[in-house]
Amino acid sequence: LAAWAGGVVGGLAGAMMTRGVERELANYYDQAVQAGKILVAAEARDPDDVATLAKASQILADTGAEPVPLREG
């Protein structure tokens, strides 16, 4: 089980980089997951749907999530 979990986590950084996340940030997330943190991401189907992203952000904040802002770009 540990080897399987390590393979999943090890692929996280690569998967994030294919979505345009910079290597440094992808590695940061990868290390956080390996340390036992849970990664949750929210993405609106319409990039202009600010209300949906704000609602997701509020739900995560209300439940004690630790936000890690993504750089624009």
Side-chain angles (χ1 to χ4, degrees):
L1 179 61
W4 177 81
V8 171
V9 172
L12 176 62
M16 293 182 78
M17 288 187 289
T18 63
R19 298 273 319 225
V21 176
E22 295 175 10
R23 178 181 297 273
E24 181 179 333
L25 187 56
N27 285 334
Y28 172 82
Y29 284 128
D30 187 51
Q31 290 172 7
V33 170
Q34 287 183 39
K37 301 272 185 176
I38 298 172
L39 176 64
V40 176
E43 181 177 20
R45 293 178 191 246
D46 180 355
D48 295 325
D49 194 356
V50 176
T52 299
L53 292 175
K55 183 176 179 180
S57 179
Q58 187 62 53
I59 291 168
L60 292 170
D62 289 348
T63 58
E66 298 174 23
V68 178
L70 294 174
R71 296 181 205 119
E72 292 293 324

